[in-house]
Amino acid sequence: MRAILSVVLAGFLPLAAVAADGSAPELIQPGYDVELDEFQWTHRPVVVFADSPEDPRFHEQMERLMEGIEALKERDVVVLTDTDPAAKSALRKKLRPRGFMLVLVGKDGGVKLRKPHPWTVRELSRTIDKFPERLREVEERRGG
């Protein structure tokens, strides 16, 4: 299973690369050295925590996210992962997960959703699409 996830992630990492001018963050990146403030007003972080990279729920969540990568891009989502509780990252200190946890953070920096089990991109998209700032984004893109 780990080998399969590695191959899947390797296939999508070129999609997640930073632009040459550094203007866009990687779509999927480790969250050990990241502060949520870096994404305020530009992206919606989805933070995936697990106590081990071997956690089956972590693998399932990452596979689900990979399946809907275009929908995530469209909603300005950046996925941050943290599978090492011993690292005591800033994300862990701020969000305080217990075992596996999926956390959706809004562009305003507020926690919008916490789930102790994997979610599909469709479920995440439906939640994001109800946010007032997302409704404004869609309206602006329509030219309204």
Side-chain angles (χ1 to χ4, degrees):
M1 182 71 159
R2 184 177 187 195
I4 292 171
L5 183 61
S6 297
V7 170
V8 170
L9 283 172
F12 283 105
L13 286 179
L15 293 174
V18 174
D21 63 356
S23 63
E26 294 180 22
L27 184 65
I28 298 173
Q29 60 182 296
Y32 304 109
D33 299 323
V34 175
E35 294 282 342
L36 289 176
D37 296 344
E38 297 173 33
F39 303 103
Q40 193 165 12
W41 305 118
T42 60
H43 291 84
R44 293 180 179 91
V46 169
V47 187
V48 182
F49 291 104
D51 286 343
S52 163
E54 304 303 323
D55 186 329
R57 294 171 296 180
F58 175 74
H59 286 276
E60 180 181 349
Q61 184 63 72
M62 295 311 294
E63 288 171 7
R64 287 179 175 193
L65 293 173
M66 291 297 186
E67 290 169 1
I69 207 137
E70 289 303 317
L72 296 176
K73 283 183 189 179
E74 182 181 320
R75 288 165 179 82
D76 300 325
V77 169
V78 61
V79 178
L80 306 172
T81 61
D82 184 335
T83 59
D84 184 8
K88 297 187 170 124
S89 68
L91 290 175
R92 279 191 183 270
K93 289 177 185 174
K94 182 169 183 158
L95 300 174
R96 300 189 178 273
R98 293 184 197 142
F100 176 86
M101 183 175 287
L102 173 77
V103 181
L104 171 60
V105 179
K107 283 188 175 182
D108 63 359
V111 173
K112 307 298 183 188
L113 176 76
R114 288 177 182 266
K115 291 295 173 183
H117 51 82
W119 258 36
T120 64
V121 170
R122 183 176 180 187
E123 291 168 316
L124 281 169
S125 296
R126 285 182 170 185
T127 300
I128 292 169
D129 289 348
K130 293 177 185 174
F131 296 167
E133 66 262 18
R134 174 64 180 155
L135 295 172
R136 278 192 296 275
E137 290 169 12
V138 170
E139 191 64 31
E140 287 172 8
R141 289 179 185 166
R142 287 184 186 159

